[in-house]
Amino acid sequence: QEHFWLDRPRVPAYAGRRRTFATSMARGLLTRWCAVAALAALAATGAQAELQVKPKGRCTVADLKLIQAAGGGHGVGSFTKENADCGASAWNAWLGIQADSYKQCLRKATPVSEPCAECFADGGVWGYNTCKWKCMVSWCSASCLACNKEYLDKLDACVGATAPRPTTCINA
């Protein structure tokens, strides 16, 4: 009973089918070749995907890498904080946020392309016009972020990817 498999009659796996040595070798080689070809195709696709993907929005692959590297949150150096700082520096008491000043500031802080910077400048102008009273305490207050959430789908469509998200710094 220790070696129960020895008691069973041995039947070849291919019993009932005629298989020659040549067909077995051909099948084995074909299967291996297909597997190698498939792996090579996947590897090539993965390498090219990173280099050749064209985003659906106005930001380039290089822009998206810079934006992603800076990231979200509300800390100094984050892309979201850079946007808030550019909004503050582009603000004019009589005219609100000036989109051109915003774009210049953002391109200096994070060297993204002009069309990509325009997506964020448009978001800044929209945020100021729509949410200024809710953002009086801070740009990263809970009320300000909740108000600006309304624009995120439009921003993501313009950018061509999910833009980094700020985090709450004050529960006001």
Side-chain angles (χ1 to χ4, degrees):
Q1 283 207 345
E2 291 177 2
H3 304 288
F4 65 89
W5 63 86
L6 293 175
D7 298 332
R8 298 170 73 196
R10 293 191 179 195
V11 178
Y14 57 86
R17 291 183 272 157
R18 277 185 59 84
R19 199 178 220 187
T20 64
F21 179 78
T23 56
S24 295
M25 289 301 292
R27 265 195 185 158
L29 288 173
L30 183 62
T31 303
R32 283 186 191 91
W33 182 83
C34 288
V36 168
L39 288 172
L42 285 173
T45 304
Q48 291 172 355
E50 184 178 344
L51 300 174
Q52 296 178 358
V53 167
K54 184 170 182 350
K56 295 177 185 175
R58 298 172 75 187
C59 296
T60 65
V61 172
D63 292 337
L64 295 175
K65 285 182 179 179
L66 287 169
I67 291 167
Q68 194 174 38
H74 61 267
V76 175
S78 68
F79 187 71
T80 48
K81 174 74 166 118
E82 296 291 345
N83 271 277
D85 292 346
C86 288
S89 71
W91 180 75
N92 177 304
W94 305 110
L95 304 171
I97 291 183
Q98 302 301 293
D100 288 336
S101 297
Y102 191 107
K103 286 188 288 189
Q104 278 181 332
C105 173
L106 189 59
R107 293 189 72 204
K108 211 179 276 182
T110 308
V112 294
S113 66
E114 178 83 16
C116 187
E118 198 167 292
C119 291
F120 293 98
D122 290 347
V125 170
W126 183 92
Y128 175 76
N129 291 338
T130 309
C131 305
K132 65 180 152 263
W133 300 114
K134 294 184 179 184
C135 298
M136 290 297 263
V137 174
S138 173
W139 71 273
C140 55
S141 67
S143 61
C144 184
L145 297 181
C147 182
N148 278 288
K149 230 180 218 181
E150 210 176 299
Y151 190 80
L152 291 178
D153 288 339
K154 191 171 182 177
L155 176 65
D156 291 344
C158 184
V159 170
T162 302
R165 303 299 197 237
T167 52
T168 305
C169 60
I170 300 171
N171 284 329

